[in-house]
Amino acid sequence: MTKYNYEINIEAATEAEADSKMSAIGTLIKKLTAKELAKLAHIVQNDPIKTAMAKKALGV
């Protein structure tokens, strides 16, 4: 698979929080397909009930 480089900006209160977010994003990118990531983003952006249920199930 071809690798592509991107420069992104992450909003966070601290650099440690930004590092944590970047690490989590990296894991999601490695474990989910593009279709799964798109569906996850759509749900987070447009379905607050499902997002709240997922957060509750994850304990956050």
Side-chain angles (χ1 to χ4, degrees), residues 6-43:
Y6 289 89
E7 185 175 321
I8 65 168
N9 296 312
I10 299 174
E11 292 184 23
T14 66
E15 187 173 355
E17 182 182 350
D19 290 342
S20 179
K21 285 182 174 185
M22 192 62 220
S23 177
I25 289 168
T27 300
L28 292 174
I29 289 170
K30 288 177 189 172
K31 298 291 183 175
L32 299 176
T33 66
K35 183 178 179 180
E36 292 167 339
L37 282 169
K39 182 66 175 179
L40 177 60
H42 176 79
I43 290 170

